[in-house]
């Protein structure tokens, strides 16, 4: 049962539908996730052009997935904070800023991994 509801949990297939709906909503409403998708697609194109090896593909895929994951969590945190209060509150700001910082930290880490992967593919490092 879902807490506060007399309904059973949605089916496994329906749960995927909710997840896709959430992703589409985030893409439609959040500028940053659009930017991250474009950068991720750029990394995929660069990987294809440079013919990176399997381990490099794993690193690139993990970085793209983790950055998108972090941005989705950040978006969810912001929505919950906005639902909880419409006033400017120091704790609301703190929650939003820390959630955004997590995306920033992961994005910098992914960029460093990308630089290493593509520098190696271009022959700049062994």
């Amino acid at each position: 049962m879902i807490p506060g509801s007399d309904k059973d949990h949605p089916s496994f297939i329906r749960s995927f539908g909710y997840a896709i709906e959430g992703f589409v909503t985030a893409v439609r409403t959040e500028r940053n996730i659009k930017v991250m998708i474009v950068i991720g697609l750029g990394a995929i194109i660069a990987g294809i052009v440079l013919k990176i090896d399997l381990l490099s593909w794993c690193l690139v895929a993990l970085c793209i997935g983790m950055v998108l994951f972090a941005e989705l969590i950040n978006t969810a945190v912001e929505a919950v904070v906005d639902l909880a209060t419409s006033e400017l509150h120091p704790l609301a700001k703190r929650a939003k800023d820390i959630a955004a910082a997590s995306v920033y930290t992961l994005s910098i880490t992914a960029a460093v991994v990308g630089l290493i992967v593509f520098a190696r593919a271009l022959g700049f490092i062994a």
Side-chain angles (χ1 to χ4, degrees):
M1 298 255 313
I2 299 170
S5 170
D6 58 354
K7 296 182 180 180
D8 289 331
H9 285 282
S11 70
F12 192 69
I13 299 291
R14 187 67 192 129
S15 293
F16 276 115
Y18 291 140
I20 291 167
E21 185 178 333
F23 186 80
V24 169
T25 298
V27 171
R28 284 186 180 155
T29 61
E30 299 297 319
R31 178 197 65 221
N32 288 351
I33 201 160
K34 291 174 191 165
V35 170
M36 292 171 188
I37 289 171
V38 169
I39 292 169
L41 290 173
I44 291 169
I45 292 167
I48 291 168
V49 169
L50 295 173
K51 298 178 181 167
I52 61 175
D53 60 70
L54 184 60
L55 180 58
S56 295
W57 273 117
C58 291
L59 291 170
V60 169
L62 276 170
C63 286
I64 292 169
M66 291 300 295
V67 169
L68 291 175
F69 166 80
E71 184 57 38
L72 289 166
I73 294 297
N74 179 49
T75 300
V77 167
E78 288 179 350
V80 169
V81 168
D82 289 346
L83 177 64
T85 181
S86 60
E87 65 183 55
L88 294 176
H89 191 283
L91 287 176
K93 179 183 182 334
R94 183 176 175 186
K96 286 183 167 188
D97 289 352
I98 291 170
S102 71
V103 177
Y104 177 75
T105 302
L106 188 55
S107 296
I108 296 297
T109 303
V112 170
V113 170
L115 285 173
I116 294 167
V117 164
F118 294 117
R120 181 171 174 253
L122 289 167
F124 293 129
I125 58 176

